[in-house]
Amino acid sequence: MFTRYIGRLQPPKTDVVKRGVQKCTSILDTTSRATVGKLAKVQGWVRALRKMKANVFADISDGSTCEMLQVVIPKMLKPDDLRYGSSVSVEGELALTSDGKTELHATKVHVIGTCNVAEDEYPFAPRKKYDSDYIRQYLHLRPRTRNFSSLLRLRDLASTVIADHLRNRGFTSVHTPMLTSNDCEGAGEVFLVRPQSTEILKSMRREGQPEDEVYFDTTAFLTVSGQLHLEAVARALTKVYTFGPTFRAENSKSRLHLSEFYMLEAEIAFLAHIEELIHEVELLVKEVTKGLIERGASDLHTIGAQEPQWLTKSFTCLTYEDAFNVLNDHANQLQRPIKYGEAFSKEHELFLVKYNDGVPVFVINWPKDIKPFYMKECTDDTSKVAALDLLMPDVGELVGGSIREDNYKKLKLKLPPTGNLSWYLDLRKYGNVPTGGFGMGFDRFLQCALGINNIKDTVPFPRWPHNCNL
């Protein structure tokens, strides 16, 4: 059936090769010793310029690596508009420097886009360091800074390592919707979605219909979690995960919160014990961190990241009761004393990790009144649910998870009164199995693994209250 398209799939006929147009080489590829003595063409941005007697030395970056390529340009070949920040195309021969690094001896230099730091008010001057708060004012230019370029490559690498790890563990990736009719967590921290166009609303609206329900015939929100949808798919594919943006309408500007953030969520069918979930979470956190260290060494060095001390240690597991007793026994060291039956504050979370010598802590078996409706009651104490929070140094809670309530009658009594969740109840009627799952904030994980203080510096374009620039 595809025979009619074969002609379209053939490489286009062109005389590019005949004309001698040279293919560009990434700077990452030039770092190989095998390239020495070969002609190359590179394109990138000038990160530094040094003028000597006979030559100009330019450090070029193209984003393929944190390393820069030194280009030696004879003064007679230097364009007048070659400056720091300008984009260039350079051709020449690759050679080795005296310290064994690759450099390019230019025979042709072309400035593609100029950059006059003084006249154009470019916010980043050469050889000057800026703090994160200043750099964050220029989100559209921040990727050009060396540290943030490394962060973006590490973020990409972490995404790849996560996918590889979960695939090796037998998980299938599922694209859950960003538009949903339910508030999975039930906290009301959702963003409402509706058309902006009054014409669309007017043309679709039925008599007496609330305006927020016109488009979908129900109120729609940006998702806070893909968990409920994963539970549906897990009952067919057994081990599934989703990795994408989630949204919380929290009025928080802290170093740990965003209005839009990436969440890794996994769901496993035929899983009935919290210990199995603990094993899966600890393995994920450690293996992905190890993958970053093994495959991102140069970028980790650039941003000054250190190997986490907890990486080779077994995580500790405490029940809510145990954790409460630790906090209560040390109330004099806390600004806010703990009350039994309450959720832990960030101060409480960080204290528990510090008390455990910086080793991450799983807190399990939480009071059911402070956890969402879908969590399963503990068999030995129905006032508790089989839930876990993983607490990490510097950030507190990183992962939350639970065994899901699989009893149809119990779940029916616990369903929230708002939201159409009859389909979720149906999952317990047909070929039902126990399931468990967890969610990990990806951006907060990067804070843990890379030692980044502010979560806004792990995201290309962060959004938080009063800030949705670009």
Side-chain angles (χ1 to χ4, degrees):
M1 64 181 291
F2 294 106
T3 52
R4 74 182 70 177
Y5 297 103
I6 288 177
R8 302 183 192 178
L9 299 176
Q10 301 302 317
K13 294 181 179 180
T14 175
D15 60 349
V16 168
V17 177
K18 293 180 181 178
R19 293 200 305 267
V21 174
Q22 196 169 354
K23 181 180 178 181
C24 287
T25 302
S26 73
I27 289 177
L28 178 61
D29 289 339
T30 67
T31 57
S32 167
R33 290 290 185 94
T35 62
V36 173
K38 294 185 178 180
L39 298 178
K41 176 182 178 181
V42 298
Q43 295 177 330
W45 294 267
V46 177
R47 299 305 185 205
L49 277 174
R50 300 175 298 282
K51 297 179 181 179
M52 300 300 182
K53 290 184 178 180
N55 298 310
V56 174
F57 294 84
D59 293 336
I60 309 295
S61 168
D62 67 355
S64 61
T65 172
C66 63
E67 301 297 326
M68 290 181 282
L69 178 65
Q70 178 172 276
V71 179
V72 183
I73 307 170
K75 280 196 172 180
M76 60 182 296
L77 293 180
K78 175 189 172 296
D80 293 337
D81 52 358
L82 180 69
R83 297 186 181 91
Y84 167 80
S86 58
S87 54
V88 295
S89 173
V90 183
E91 297 178 31
E93 183 178 339
L94 293 167
L96 281 181
T97 64
S98 57
D99 58 358
K101 293 185 177 181
T102 307
E103 67 180 7
L104 182 67
H105 293 181
T107 57
K108 185 178 180 181
V109 182
H110 170 61
V111 175
I112 300 171
T114 61
C115 181
N116 191 319
V117 175
E119 294 179 8
D120 298 338
E121 298 181 348
Y122 187 63
F124 305 128
R127 296 180 299 279
K128 187 173 181 180
K129 291 186 176 181
Y130 300 92
D131 62 36
S132 297
D133 289 338
Y134 175 83
I135 296 173
R136 213 178 295 132
Q137 297 177 51
Y138 305 95
L139 295 180
H140 59 302
L141 300 174
R142 184 167 65 162
R144 304 190 188 192
T145 63
R146 192 179 187 196
N147 274 21
F148 202 72
S149 292
S150 285
L151 181 280
L152 291 177
R153 282 187 293 271
L154 289 167
R155 185 181 174 97
D156 169 67
L157 176 58
S159 302
T160 301
V161 175
I162 285 172
D164 291 345
H165 170 77
L166 290 173
R167 186 173 292 109
N168 291 336
R169 297 288 296 166
F171 284 82
T172 300
S173 174
V174 176
H175 297 149
T176 54
M178 281 192 287
L179 298 179
T180 179
S181 60
N182 68 74
D183 176 4
C184 177
E185 300 300 311
E189 298 167 341
V190 291
F191 288 100
L192 182 68
V193 176
R194 50 172 283 185
Q196 184 181 36
S197 169
T198 55
E199 290 300 316
I200 290 177
L201 291 172
K202 184 178 179 180
S203 65
M204 297 180 66
R205 191 174 189 178
R206 297 193 297 270
E207 185 176 352
Q209 188 178 33
E211 201 167 69
D212 292 341
E213 299 180 9
V214 168
Y215 194 84
F216 291 106
D217 289 337
T218 185
T219 308
F221 312 102
L222 291 177
T223 185
V224 298
S225 171
Q227 176 207 315
L228 303 189
H229 298 96
L230 283 181
E231 286 191 52
V233 185
R235 284 170 168 81
L237 302 184
T238 302
K239 300 174 78 171
V240 295
Y241 77 96
T242 189
F243 185 26
T246 52
F247 307 85
R248 299 284 169 88
E250 296 178 281
N251 186 18
S252 175
K253 303 175 187 176
S254 83
R255 68 180 186 86
L256 298 169
H257 292 87
L258 291 169
S259 300
E260 176 187 359
F261 57 96
Y262 268 66
M263 179 82 82
L264 169 67
E265 298 179 271
E267 195 73 20
I268 306 169
F270 307 100
L271 187 149
H273 303 289
I274 198 75
E275 293 79 11
E276 298 173 80
L277 206 56
I278 288 172
H279 171 73
E280 203 69 55
V281 171
E282 183 170 347
L283 187 64
L284 170 78
V285 172
K286 287 182 174 179
E287 289 302 308
V288 175
T289 304
K290 289 177 184 176
L292 276 174
I293 293 171
E294 291 168 1
R295 297 163 61 178
S298 57
D299 282 312
L300 289 169
H301 177 74
T302 296
I303 67 173
Q306 303 294 319
E307 181 175 319
Q309 295 181 353
W310 46 260
L311 191 56
T312 58
K313 299 179 180 180
S314 296
F315 295 179
T316 300
C317 185
L318 300 175
T319 65
Y320 177 87
E321 301 277 349
D322 293 334
F324 170 80
N325 289 334
V326 169
L327 294 170
N328 197 45
D329 291 345
H330 297 82
N332 61 331
Q333 299 180 40
L334 302 172
Q335 291 184 356
R336 177 189 168 192
I338 181 69
K339 292 182 180 180
Y340 187 83
E342 286 187 351
F344 297 158
S345 69
K346 191 61 60 183
E347 178 194 16
H348 299 150
E349 294 172 351
L350 294 174
F351 181 87
L352 287 169
V353 179
K354 183 179 179 181
Y355 181 81
N356 198 41
D357 296 325
V359 178
V361 178
F362 283 103
V363 179
I364 65 171
N365 299 350
W366 288 74
K368 68 179 180 181
D369 292 340
I370 59 174
K371 288 296 185 179
F373 71 94
Y374 51 75
M375 296 186 175
K376 188 175 180 65
E377 293 175 358
C378 296
T379 54
D380 58 345
D381 183 354
T382 57
S383 70
K384 304 289 197 309
V385 286
L388 67 83
D389 279 5
L390 175 60
L391 311 181
M392 302 290 290
D394 302 320
V395 301
E397 182 192 352
L398 174 64
V399 180
S402 74
I403 306 301
R404 318 309 190 188
E405 180 57 74
D406 59 333
N407 184 292
Y408 178 90
K409 291 182 179 179
K410 287 185 177 181
L411 182 61
K412 187 174 183 179
L413 293 174
K414 295 196 293 183
L415 282 182
T418 58
N420 178 19
L421 288 173
S422 60
W423 65 271
Y424 184 67
L425 197 58
D426 274 354
L427 299 177
R428 277 71 178 168
K429 290 173 65 176
Y430 314 113
N432 188 34
V433 296
T435 73
F438 62 87
M440 179 181 79
F442 178 60
D443 315 296
R444 197 173 284 185
F445 165 76
L446 293 177
Q447 283 189 271
C448 293
L450 306 180
I452 296 173
N453 180 61
N454 197 312
I455 197 170
K456 301 176 185 68
D457 298 324
T458 68
V459 184
F461 302 101
R463 275 80 173 89
W464 68 94
H466 306 296
N467 283 273
C468 190
N469 298 325
L470 282 66

